[in-house]
Amino acid sequence: MIDGNTELIAHLGFPTHSFKAPLIYNPYFESVGVNAVVVPMGCRPESFAGVLRSVFQLENIRGALITMPHKVSTVGLLDEVTPTARVAGACNAVKRLSDGRLAGDMFDGEGFVRGIRRKGLALDGASALVVGSGGVGSAIAASLAAAGVARLALYDVQSASAEALALRLRTEYPTLVVETGGKDPAGFDLVVNGTPLGMNAGDPLPVDVERLSPRTFVGEVVMRTEMTAFLAAAQARGCPVQVGTDMLFEMIPAYLEFFGYPSTTAENLRAVARLNTPRLHS
């Protein structure tokens, strides 16, 4: 029930037809009695800067979810962003501070990190290889650095992307050991596929799974199928794994905390969500 006390969370992106976040947030709000609603708002890139400023003039707005194609441009439009957003080079959540300034953060990587931590992987002092330095790979690398990993190896077929990400990481986290140029998974505590490899049948695997140790935790971002060929191969070697959709459900509690709403678990969100598919465009 929407009434005069309902708070709005704008879901800004384009096009909106693929948005699934309202089908998760809104059932959750209803289930816990929070008078708030996530509303999809289609906005083309040329209008985005003005729309973002205008929507935060509303008195009953609690915040905004930012999705494609606006995550990168949002960083330069805000008064304050976290180190995670600076390293990721993107932002997917915005709120208005008490003094009226706009602050942003990035939770794609936080969802991934929360998921693997809940599965038992200790990240403080750990080593990680992240294959893919695009949007999601950069966000995961940023959150791994914030979580206290000691060594982070980056690989991307576009080496300039990996080098640029490495520079941002070294700037924000000067004690972090950052390496680029290789993707041998041997010896790492965590290996992450942050590329689209696995979206289609027959895609090559992102790393040589024969070089994986059974103790290495393996994470995936591809969501077209839960158990990708990469995860299946890693699991066959005895590795603990995390599927792509876990990252997305795990990030929503972080969003809720950012906006000041009661938090929950990924399991509760899955239980109340009205999705017909495991895929989510957040």
Side-chain angles (χ1 to χ4, degrees):
M1 172 64 70
I2 296 175
D3 60 24
N5 295 311
T6 302
E7 292 184 328
L8 302 178
I9 296 178
H11 190 181
L12 294 167
F14 185 82
T16 62
H17 61 75
S18 63
F19 288 9
K20 299 294 188 297
L23 301 175
I24 300 174
Y25 283 88
N26 293 334
Y28 167 70
F29 288 148
E30 183 179 1
S31 73
V32 296
V34 169
N35 192 358
V37 61
V38 173
V39 182
M41 297 183 180
C43 179
R44 293 180 183 272
E46 59 270 22
S47 304
F48 178 67
V51 169
L52 183 68
R53 286 190 293 269
S54 296
V55 79
F56 275 97
Q57 296 301 308
L58 297 172
E59 292 300 323
N60 65 327
I61 190 166
R62 188 66 167 255
L65 309 176
I66 310 295
T67 191
M68 297 303 291
H70 308 311
K71 291 183 182 182
V72 172
S73 62
T74 298
V75 176
L77 300 173
L78 303 180
D79 301 298
E80 179 181 305
V81 295
T82 61
T84 301
R86 286 195 296 270
V87 171
C91 172
N92 64 1
V94 179
K95 66 181 177 181
R96 184 174 55 207
L97 302 176
S98 58
D99 60 5
R101 295 181 307 134
L102 297 183
D105 206 341
M106 181 60 168
F107 293 119
D108 284 353
E110 176 67 13
F112 182 89
V113 164
R114 287 187 181 215
I116 59 177
R117 276 179 159 164
R118 288 216 303 145
K119 294 175 180 68
L121 182 63
L123 289 174
D124 192 38
S127 61
L129 166 65
V130 179
V131 181
S133 300
V136 67
S138 293
I140 289 171
S143 291
L144 289 172
V149 298
R151 175 187 170 215
L152 193 50
L154 310 171
Y155 178 83
D156 195 280
V157 291
Q158 302 292 332
S159 59
S161 296
E163 294 297 340
L165 174 57
L167 178 61
R168 298 194 299 273
L169 284 162
R170 292 177 182 128
T171 299
E172 297 291 339
Y173 301 95
T175 62
L176 176 65
V177 176
V178 183
E179 306 164 2
T180 60
K183 60 173 183 174
D184 183 355
F188 288 96
D189 299 306
L190 170 67
V191 173
V192 184
N193 175 35
T195 77
L197 292 175
M199 290 276 288
N200 301 305
D203 280 352
L205 299 183
V207 301
D208 180 0
V209 294
E210 297 299 318
R211 298 281 293 164
L212 280 171
S213 163
R215 70 169 185 82
T216 299
F217 195 107
V218 174
E220 176 70 272
V221 301
V222 169
M223 288 168 279
R224 181 161 290 176
T225 179
E226 291 264 294
M227 188 55 60
T228 62
F230 177 49
L231 288 185
Q235 206 169 51
R237 290 189 65 78
C239 300
V241 301
Q242 175 165 282
V243 301
T245 53
D246 280 356
M247 174 182 74
L248 295 168
F249 280 94
E250 291 280 1
M251 83 170 71
I252 292 178
Y255 273 112
L256 293 170
E257 293 156 20
F258 179 75
F259 293 135
Y261 287 124
S263 193
T264 187
T265 65
E267 288 80 9
N268 286 342
L269 291 167
R270 285 184 183 271
V272 300
R274 295 172 186 159
L275 294 174
N276 296 320
T277 168
R279 299 175 66 194
L280 168 67
H281 188 174
S282 72

